[in-house]
């Protein structure tokens, strides 16, 4: 999606991926290797004007030597903060962004203490390398402590208070090296089993949007950020509680391809390539639905007026994100009924 956004601007991408048949290979030259393969990373950096990432678990140590060969954007510090849920929450707290009560957990005795201090219910998560609900265990009673420890114990963990949220929302913005910032309208996100199922946008809520923008701006400034940055929030009793940040283009912003004047992918490229940022104005009311595990029948979905179909060309695997569709309508009511219709045609495995 980055490469496709770059073509009209005359920008040519090159990728590094583990497999030669990665989606990017359909549209751009690709190097294959582990994402921390020092040799391949050097080749990639030496051949390109700027290097970016759309997967946040690549280590800062792997990227550091590349900074003498090319520009690495977003900055490595942003990547490193986002890789550890404890340092991420510490940054949010320092910037006066509300977070769930939490405690670091390295052994079972600490888990028992954390449950006592933070309370129940709560979520035990791996501090690092967790995404899409992987590496998480919900504790409803203290009887779950042994089971939770058996499931996740061993690596650094965080125990956080379960948030009885009314919604989950995200804000995406882009910042240029000169410090210009653009914000996309809020997305309202529906997850199942920790994985994003669908988003609707714009989620129009003046007060929450103002807070989300303030928080995103603080994080961007603190990190001297360049590129697209996403903040995910729980809405709890009408207020935002930050869950996590993603220093990259984000699944909850895929709707911006059809739904905004300039997509998140294009604005990420514009930001990292020192081009002026584009308008984030929404062109209507959008819904984005992920295709998880199986690809739905395009023939049937494409009968829905205003629907765009994206097949990433990936091998099906349970719960794997294989593609998505976006519905764009002028009115929210029309969008909602088309979304319900589409959801009936899509099975998640
Ligand atoms: P994460 O990997 O932290 O983004 O979590 C994935 C999903 O799990 C979130 O989008 C929520 O739906 C759910 N979740 C994570 N942490 C909490 C929490 N503290 N309280 C309630 N739900 C949570």
């Amino acid at each position: 999606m980055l490469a496709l956004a770059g073509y009209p601007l005359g920008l040519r991408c090159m990728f590094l991926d583990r497999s030669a048949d990665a989606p990017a290979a359909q549209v751009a030259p690709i190097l294959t290797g582990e994402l921390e393969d020092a040799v391949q990373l050097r080749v990639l950096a030496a051949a390109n004007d700027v290097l970016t990432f759309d997967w946040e678990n690549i280590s800062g140590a792997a990227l550091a030597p590349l900074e003498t060969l090319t520009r690495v954007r977003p900055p490595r510090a942003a990547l490193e903060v986002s890789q550890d849920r404890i340092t991420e929450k510490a940054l949010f707290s320092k910037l006066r962004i509300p977070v769930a009560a939490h405690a670091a957990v390295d052994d079972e005795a600490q888990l028992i203490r954390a449950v006592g201090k933070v309370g129940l219910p709560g979520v035990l998560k791996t501090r690092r390398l967790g995404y899409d609900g992987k590496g998480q265990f919900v504790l409803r009673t203290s009887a779950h402590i042994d089971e939770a420890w058996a499931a996740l114990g061993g690596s650094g963990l965080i125990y956080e208070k379960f948030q009885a949220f009314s919604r989950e929302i995200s804000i995406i913005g882009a910042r240029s090296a000169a410090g210009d910032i653009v914000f996309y309208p809020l997305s309202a996100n529906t997850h199942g089993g920790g994985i994003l199922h669908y988003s609707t946008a714009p989620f129009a809520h003046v007060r929450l949007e103002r807070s989300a923008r303030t928080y995103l701006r603080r994080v961007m400034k603190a990190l001297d950020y360049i590129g697209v940055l996403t903040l995910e929030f729980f809405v709890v009793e009408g207020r935002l509680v930050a869950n996590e940040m993603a220093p990259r283009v984000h699944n909850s912003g895929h709707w911006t391809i059809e739904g905004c004047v300039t997509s998140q992918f294009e604005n990420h490229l514009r930001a990292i390539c020192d081009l002026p940022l584009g308008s984030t104005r929404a062109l209507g009311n959008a819904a984005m639905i992920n295709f998880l595990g199986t690809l739905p029948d395009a023939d049937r979905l494409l009968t829905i007026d205003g629907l765009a179909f994206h097949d990433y060309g990936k091998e099906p695997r349970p719960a794997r994100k294989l593609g998505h569709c976006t519905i764009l309508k002028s009115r929210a009511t029309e969008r909602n009924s088309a979304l319900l219709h589409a959801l009936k045609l899509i099975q998640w495995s």
Side-chain angles (χ1 to χ4, degrees):
M1 289 182 267
L2 282 166
L4 292 173
Y7 274 110
L9 293 171
L11 302 173
R12 296 292 175 264
C13 294
M14 182 190 280
F15 291 88
L16 171 63
D17 202 291
R18 289 198 194 93
S19 94
D21 64 355
Q26 297 167 39
V27 291
I30 184 162
L31 304 172
T32 50
E34 286 304 315
L35 300 181
E36 301 200 343
D37 180 322
V39 175
Q40 292 293 56
L41 282 173
R42 281 186 73 87
V43 174
L44 193 66
N48 290 282
D49 299 315
V50 56
L51 189 138
T52 192
F53 39 84
D54 73 353
W55 187 69
E56 70 255 36
N57 289 323
I58 179 162
S59 71
L63 291 184
L66 309 178
E67 289 168 350
T68 56
L69 300 172
T70 190
R71 292 171 295 176
V72 177
R73 293 173 163 182
R76 186 159 48 90
L79 180 72
E80 288 170 336
V81 167
S82 74
Q83 286 171 341
D84 183 328
R85 292 181 189 275
I86 295 279
T87 53
E88 187 175 61
K89 283 190 167 53
L91 175 70
F92 292 160
S93 298
K94 194 175 111 195
L95 298 174
R96 292 171 288 113
I97 301 172
V99 296
H102 61 278
V105 169
D106 289 313
D107 57 43
E108 194 169 357
Q110 276 182 2
L111 176 57
I112 293 164
R113 277 201 297 279
V115 170
K117 185 177 135 209
V118 171
L120 285 160
V123 189
L124 186 66
K125 301 180 180 178
T126 52
R127 279 173 69 164
R128 305 179 73 89
L129 298 173
Y131 66 98
D132 285 344
K134 295 183 176 75
Q136 296 195 12
F137 194 104
V138 177
L139 284 88
R140 308 242 164 240
T141 75
S142 49
H144 290 146
I145 288 177
D146 284 345
E147 202 186 330
W149 182 253
L152 295 181
S155 55
L157 303 173
I158 178 172
Y159 178 74
E160 60 184 52
K161 180 93 181 161
F162 189 88
Q163 301 298 296
F165 54 80
S166 56
R167 277 185 187 284
E168 291 187 81
I169 64 162
S170 54
I171 185 161
I172 297 174
R175 185 175 186 270
S176 70
D180 298 327
I181 298 178
V182 290
F183 298 105
Y184 285 93
L186 299 179
S187 301
N189 306 321
T190 302
H191 295 83
I195 190 163
L196 182 64
H197 278 191
Y198 60 89
S199 296
T200 55
F203 173 62
H205 191 300
V206 175
R207 186 174 49 78
L208 293 180
E209 183 147 62
R210 200 184 309 124
S211 299
R213 287 181 173 203
T214 301
Y215 296 154
L216 185 59
R217 191 183 292 111
R218 282 184 200 160
V219 178
M220 285 175 152
K221 276 190 163 174
L223 295 168
D224 210 3
Y225 198 84
I226 304 171
V228 160
L229 178 68
T230 307
L231 282 188
E232 293 184 73
F233 298 98
F234 303 117
V235 181
V236 184
E237 292 169 2
R239 307 189 94 83
L240 296 180
V241 175
N243 179 26
E244 59 180 357
M245 62 184 256
R248 55 172 167 82
V249 288
H250 195 254
N251 195 176
S252 68
H254 286 8
W255 67 275
T256 62
I257 297 175
E258 290 83 13
C260 290
V261 175
T262 314
S263 75
Q264 62 164 347
F265 300 98
E266 180 172 339
N267 262 334
H268 183 68
L269 293 174
R270 289 193 191 205
I272 65 172
C273 296
D274 292 327
L275 294 167
L277 300 178
S279 164
T280 53
R281 185 166 56 82
L283 299 170
N285 284 282
M288 186 289 308
I289 312 172
N290 273 331
F291 302 151
L292 302 172
T294 50
L295 213 55
D297 184 1
D299 278 1
R300 295 183 70 192
L301 272 180
L302 288 170
T303 62
I304 297 175
D305 182 48
L307 182 141
F309 192 92
H310 296 254
D311 172 355
Y312 307 155
K314 288 180 174 173
E315 278 299 310
R317 256 194 264 129
R320 191 173 195 201
K321 289 176 179 168
L322 302 178
H324 74 269
C325 65
T326 299
I327 296 162
L328 186 65
K329 295 281 189 184
S330 40
R331 291 167 187 278
T333 47
E334 294 170 344
R335 183 270 319 275
N336 293 345
S337 48
L339 168 63
L340 286 176
H341 182 187
L343 286 171
K344 286 191 191 125
L345 301 177
I346 296 170
Q347 290 178 349
W348 286 301
S349 71

